[in-house]
Amino acid sequence: MRIKFPLMAIGLEVAMIVLYGLFVEYETDQSIQQFNISKQVHMEKFLDLYPLFQDVHVMIFVGFGFLMTFLKKYGFSSVGINLLIAALGLQWGTIAQGILHSHGQKVHIGIKNMINADFSTATVLISFGAVLGKISPIQMLIMTIIEIAVFAGNEYLVGEIFKASDIGASMTIHAFGAYFGLTVARILYRPGLRGGHDNEESVYHSDLFAMIGTLFLWIFWPSFNSAIAEAGDKQYLAIVNTYLSLAACVLTSYAFSSLVEHGGKLDMVHIQNATLAGGVAVGTCADMAIKPYGSMIIGSIAGIVSVIGFKFLTPLVATKLRIQDTCGVHNLHGLPGVIGGLASIVAIAMGASSTSTMVNQAFALGASIGTAIVGGLITGVILLLPLWEQPSDWDCYNDSVYWEFPRLRDHDNRFHEYHNHLEHEI
Amino acid sequence: MRIKFPLMAIGLEVAMIVLYGLFVEYETDQSIQQFNISKQVHMEKFLDLYPLFQDVHVMIFVGFGFLMTFLKKYGFSSVGINLLIAALGLQWGTIAQGILHSHGQKVHIGIKNMINADFSTATVLISFGAVLGKISPIQMLIMTIIEIAVFAGNEYLVGEIFKASDIGASMTIHAFGAYFGLTVARILYRPGLRGGHDNEESVYHSDLFAMIGTLFLWIFWPSFNSAIAEAGDKQYLAIVNTYLSLAACVLTSYAFSSLVEHGGKLDMVHIQNATLAGGVAVGTCADMAIKPYGSMIIGSIAGIVSVIGFKFLTPLVATKLRIQDTCGVHNLHGLPGVIGGLASIVAIAMGASSTSTMVNQAFALGASIGTAIVGGLITGVILLLPLWEQPSDWDCYNDSVYWEFPRLRDHDNRFHEYHNHLEHEI
Amino acid sequence: MRIKFPLMAIGLEVAMIVLYGLFVEYETDQSIQQFNISKQVHMEKFLDLYPLFQDVHVMIFVGFGFLMTFLKKYGFSSVGINLLIAALGLQWGTIAQGILHSHGQKVHIGIKNMINADFSTATVLISFGAVLGKISPIQMLIMTIIEIAVFAGNEYLVGEIFKASDIGASMTIHAFGAYFGLTVARILYRPGLRGGHDNEESVYHSDLFAMIGTLFLWIFWPSFNSAIAEAGDKQYLAIVNTYLSLAACVLTSYAFSSLVEHGGKLDMVHIQNATLAGGVAVGTCADMAIKPYGSMIIGSIAGIVSVIGFKFLTPLVATKLRIQDTCGVHNLHGLPGVIGGLASIVAIAMGASSTSTMVNQAFALGASIGTAIVGGLITGVILLLPLWEQPSDWDCYNDSVYWEFPRLRDHDNRFHEYHNHLEHEI
């Protein structure tokens, strides 16, 4: 960390300032004309959507940030690196998406760019979950820049070329983010951690901190899926469908967690994650008329698949495919994202929407996964370069590698003592 | 938990999906006609109220969930079972309230149904506080189904038959939820816990987690009391009155906590709970023109009554009435709810509102408490059946009865050690 | 605490109720006429701004409250006294600001008063950070009353006499609150704490609790800076500029934290605080057309200055100026507030705004700092009176001085044990 990390962070911020100086402007009377509404109405719409933007903002910074604090000694890094890469990601996402959609013209910042910038950031945070504890802050900065560029490209492909429908971004954010992160984790496979790591576990309070993340994600997910939906009917549908899917998902997550665990007990990993799978899986068809009970069926299935994934698939993926998925993003974002894409094909087949076709949806799903894997491969190889201060196996999942603990003294501090103890053992 | 819990959870979700398939629809052009406004205006109103709905949603899931994490070893269950029963409750509440109000016709989901569904859920969560730590998840599922049905019946009686005014639901939610829960706690009285239980206490960090709940409840209470108020003047009044009542309540809670405690110290139990009593007590007359200082008087009284209740009444209720009220819901919801009903009678007598009469308000208060006690009796008796895996006295207030701790190892884990230690002692 | 604290709290609440009875009214048809809009439009505007008010409300109670929980044994007091003085402050702020602005007429409560009341409260909470752990709850009540009166006077001077522009209140809230608090800390200087105090440090979980505060402050800061901005263009600018300044500030804070710390590590103190400096520094010119990259430059500089302040200035200020600044408010609010004032002068010089002049901005900055120092001096001297139960050096930063721990028993409770241990040592 000595000098590379600060230099890269400063360099990236300087680059952002230059890019914003060149390409980004406030909304102007001209830029508003494209919406065919008066400036006053446009500004009112800004304020109408602002609460939904803030809901999404809470999801990105508090939701994702605290969801990942479940590790007993990696809370600072989880919530801290989350903040760092989200702050970078939203600046870069505005540029990357804006340039593509404005065809090289100036980008005019409005509420939709701000929401979309948060979305591009979400993609990176999902991938972060797959490699959590195993890569350095510098590596995360590099991954943020590459992944958002690839994400913006795939999103353009899906939305503008295939004209596919993906309002809650099950495919373009969740499946994409998961498979991108899993591919990077595959490239960075650590044989030394096959048997697990002492620090890769939670303690009582770290699991409670993680529930802060879970709950804010759960509560605001209807805002995520509806924030950029067409005002009126479609936005209404996106809110109601997501709300119902999530509620149903909770019941099946709890049921299956109890079914698969020893003695019918519940597992915090499932409660923290699988309860959210309903929000992911209903994303693509959130603004379609899939009926209230349709949303609930999608949510129920997502909860079941997610719990089963955590219990049976994650260990297999780790041993057979050599992918160590720290947060289990495959079960929360990968599988439910694929379910979301498939659900949209079924929904269109049943006449719930005519904004896209079954074929286009299938292309969109395939493109999202394919681009993610290719992007993840390239990123993984770049991150392998012995330049980025990747932590040793021993230093994984350990805040003390990246964080000063100046205010900690010996008494009353088990964490510090334990760390010293480990260092003496070496 | 082995098999009954997952079967019941799955069965309930399947039942919900069937009920939604039969009875619940999106809003249609026809269903909107009843409001005498155009569809576009209706959809705009949806988005106008959506931030208030989200505030209430945060109160239900984060507010109630974390408020109950004060117990040192019951945080997983507090926040976890809260999520489970709230997710079930909002699905079932939509049906139970909707069928009654639509007189057996289809229920059309709009923002008001969603807010009302959260309200019905709040009622169960209040009762949950009275029995926290002493009943199993299966018992909570059963209680959720029965209580919401009774709640919807009482709410219909109060609002449609008595035409009483109860905008912030001091009577129909708070008093009802409290006396329902207390009656259940009475039926399930545990003589073995007369002397207290080692786990029925907080530790330093669990009290801080609980403050997350307190603060979000406190902040968003004006949204709770105003969410379904008539747009315009009444909604304005409900927000302002609740805001002022809560602020005043904080000052008297702190003052009386210090007055009644040894050496003038403050007690976290009072700060976590009594500071919220002002929101409860002002509920019924929140949308009446009770004057700003009137709200502050109501809030001040509520804070005082609540602290005194915690200090002197709760021990008496436990020993004399044999009601073990884990969270002290009688002091946060019961007494302040009754104050709310009485305050509305005074307010109407003083001409602050003409939407209801003093007699109708008195009927509403009596009906809410009466129905709650009858409903609680029936529920308590059902929960007594030796089918529902009620925990033994020993297992009360203990997460490890319901939760796997697979990620906990021996080192660095006092909780686990302590639990083992207890088990060896037996 | 025995009797003075409860008497003062009750006395203050009674005084508030009397003042509200005399001076505060609901909005009336007449009071709305001044806005030249119909009552219906006015009420719609209330609801439009309500989500921004709630964002600010979360910042005040959760943001400031949890930000200060970083101390290992002072979490109850941090979040608890924060709630107490904020609840008092918003009641008193409405009166103090209202009387001045209505020139002695009745104050009519609307959404802007409510937002402004939260702002006046924020000022006290900033000062609270400078003296955190070292003064008693009674002293904080006194400081709240005096500081808000002085704040309202200075705000009137800056806004109505100088007609200066300070939409996000970098000068009138942040610089004012910081220098007021620092002056009080100077007067209350404790030579006995020159060598530090065992309790003036964080532990692992207390730093995570503090991050809850940081993140909610960070997320909702655009609402803070835009809540009372002119609807339309200016509000849009205030949101976008603050959003970009904060994002840029994160990158430079991380970079400089790593640069100045041993071995390139990150310091939680910087991450919790310096990442917010961008919100402070962009405040004054938030609603000016300073260009997107202009905001990012302001944010970048604020992050750098704040980290450097924490690392090099705070120790100097403590030893040379004898100001013990517990939370480092000089680095989060003082210096960035001054940067905000200076930035507005540069912005006006560059033509980004014509609502104020460079000279008026300079006067505003000078007045804010000057009034703060004079107010702080007077307050400090009053707080020195041996009436207010100021804690001894030994009792600083220690919750057990003000809080009962009735639910804590011997086993499983290091905090209590440690405290007993200390008491035996005396």
Side-chain angles (χ1 to χ4, degrees), chain A residues 70-89:
Chain A
F70 70 95
L71 290 169
K72 67 181 177 186
K73 291 187 184 177
Y74 209 63
F76 289 11
S77 301
S78 295
V79 78
I81 301 180
N82 189 83
L83 170 59
L84 173 67
I85 60 182
L88 171 64

Side-chain angles (χ1 to χ4, degrees), chain B residues 24-51:
Chain B
V24 181
E25 287 184 354
Y26 297 128
E27 291 193 319
T28 58
D29 293 352
Q30 284 78 7
S31 74
I32 290 169
Q33 279 179 359
Q34 57 167 311
F35 301 107
N36 285 322
I37 49 175
S38 74
K39 185 160 186 185
Q40 196 201 336
V41 171
H42 183 71
M43 286 304 177
E44 280 167 13
K45 277 189 185 299
F46 188 100
L47 217 54
D48 278 354
L49 284 179
Y50 183 69

Side-chain angles (χ1 to χ4, degrees), chain C residues 64-322:
Chain C
F64 280 104
F66 272 96
L67 182 61
M68 293 189 277
T69 58
F70 69 95
L71 290 168
K72 68 180 178 187
K73 291 186 183 178
Y74 208 64
F76 288 11
S77 302
S78 296
V79 78
I81 301 180
N82 188 84
L83 171 58
L84 172 68
I85 61 181
L88 171 63
L90 62 85
Q91 295 180 66
W92 172 230
T94 301
I95 295 278
Q97 295 178 307
I99 297 286
L100 273 173
H101 286 277
S102 68
H103 304 286
Q105 301 291 303
K106 298 272 180 175
V107 180
H108 297 93
I109 298 195
I111 193 76
K112 294 228 169 174
N113 309 51
M114 291 165 67
I115 294 167
N116 274 314
D118 269 8
F119 284 175
S120 64
T121 290
T123 314
V124 184
L125 300 179
I126 290 165
S127 306
F128 182 38
V131 295
L132 188 76
K134 294 171 297 188
I135 77 177
S136 68
I138 311 179
Q139 290 179 303
M140 274 314 301
L141 292 178
I142 295 169
M143 185 164 130
T144 302
I145 297 299
I146 305 176
E147 181 166 0
I148 285 181
V150 181
F151 160 78
N154 177 61
E155 195 205 26
Y156 186 80
L157 182 69
V158 165
E160 303 293 318
I161 311 296
F162 296 154
K163 306 272 182 201
S165 194
D166 193 22
I167 195 67
S170 310
M171 302 184 287
T172 50
I173 292 178
H174 295 287
F176 179 93
Y179 290 105
F180 191 104
L182 292 167
T183 309
V184 173
R186 176 65 190 81
I187 308 285
L188 303 180
Y189 178 66
R190 290 168 179 271
L193 298 186
R194 256 176 316 200
H197 189 295
D198 270 359
N199 292 342
E200 199 188 357
E201 54 184 29
S202 65
V203 287
Y204 196 63
H205 282 159
S206 68
D207 269 328
L208 275 177
F209 277 114
M211 281 303 290
I212 297 173
T214 298
L215 291 178
F216 278 107
L217 287 169
W218 196 92
I219 291 165
F220 290 139
W221 214 292
S223 303
F224 190 96
N225 283 356
S226 68
I228 55 166
E230 202 180 300
D233 267 2
K234 298 219 158 195
Q235 196 158 38
Y236 158 81
L237 287 174
I239 290 171
V240 170
N241 286 334
T242 308
Y243 164 84
L244 290 174
S245 176
L246 283 164
C249 174
V250 168
L251 272 283
T252 57
S253 299
Y254 275 74
F256 273 74
S257 181
S258 171
L259 269 183
V260 302
E261 287 300 323
H262 172 75
K265 292 189 179 183
L266 298 165
D267 188 328
M268 255 294 162
V269 180
H270 305 154
I271 303 315
Q272 284 161 7
N273 293 281
T275 53
L276 299 168
V280 175
V282 84
T284 303
C285 41
D287 64 346
M288 302 179 184
I290 53 175
K291 304 233 163 128
Y293 76 89
S295 319
M296 294 159 75
I297 290 173
I298 293 173
S300 299
I301 293 170
I304 295 168
V305 168
S306 187
V307 169
I308 290 175
F310 272 105
K311 187 70 183 178
F312 303 109
L313 212 54
T314 292
L316 272 182
V317 166
T319 51
K320 304 293 177 195
L321 301 184
R322 301 189 163 205

Side-chain angles (χ1 to χ4, degrees), chain A residues 71-73 195-204 206 394 396-398 414-422 425, chain B residues 405-418 420:
Chain A
L71 290 169
K72 67 181 177 186
K73 291 187 184 177
H197 189 295
D198 270 358
N199 292 342
E200 199 188 358
E201 55 186 27
S202 65
V203 288
Y204 195 62
S206 68
W394 174 258
C396 283
Y397 315 113
N398 196 333
R414 286 175 307 121
F415 181 85
H416 200 170
E417 276 168 30
Y418 177 65
H419 187 68
N420 287 340
H421 169 68
L422 286 181
E425 279 186 355
Chain B
F405 296 118
R407 293 182 291 185
L408 299 182
R409 303 192 187 169
D410 284 322
H411 61 76
D412 198 38
N413 177 13
R414 287 172 309 121
F415 181 85
H416 199 171
E417 276 169 28
Y418 177 66
N420 287 340

